[in-house]
Amino acid sequence: QVELVESGGGLVQAGGSLRLSCRASGTIARITDMAWYRQATGYLRDMVASITSADSPDYADSVKGRFSISRDNGKNTVYLEMNNLRPEDTGVYYCSANVVRRSGLPPFPYWGQGTQVTVSS
């Protein structure tokens, strides 16, 4: 089995910063794409940032210039550095990873349990 565990959420004032981490563990041959999603109350889960195995990032327009995604392949970990946070960044942040469990198998998406980020005005 594969498990993703997020950490680093919390309460911060507008303009502040937080760093989220997500580590994958279990039977893992390799991980292709990794990503962070955000779900605000009453809204769908939207992608915030993603990163390929070649370290190529992509960002939602709303976070460009403020958020930075990175990964440590040796630790099967993805990070999200969030700066200049705004109240509209509030939500539950989920990480996802497309995991190849054994050579020859296709990648399969796994999700973390989510971590709450609250930005006060």
Side-chain angles (χ1 to χ4, degrees), residues 29-103:
R30 63 185 178 90
I31 299 176
T32 60
D33 295 349
M34 304 183 83
W36 288 96
Y37 287 73
R38 176 173 66 206
Q39 187 166 20
T41 302
Y43 289 83
L44 297 175
R45 190 176 299 185
D46 292 324
M47 192 199 77
V48 173
S50 65
I51 186 166
T52 68
S53 57
D55 279 340
S56 178
D58 190 27
Y59 299 95
D61 288 343
S62 61
V63 306
K64 283 180 180 177
R66 300 188 298 121
F67 290 14
S68 178
I69 189 170
S70 61
R71 61 190 288 173
D72 183 333
N73 292 327
K75 295 181 179 179
N76 290 331
T77 299
V78 63
Y79 305 96
L80 185 67
E81 186 76 35
M82 305 185 292
N83 299 310
N84 192 20
L85 282 160
R86 304 168 180 170
E88 54 264 38
D89 294 319
T90 294
V92 179
Y93 283 70
Y94 298 89
C95 72
S96 73
N98 288 330
V99 178
V100 177
R101 297 190 63 193
R102 291 184 179 84
S103 179

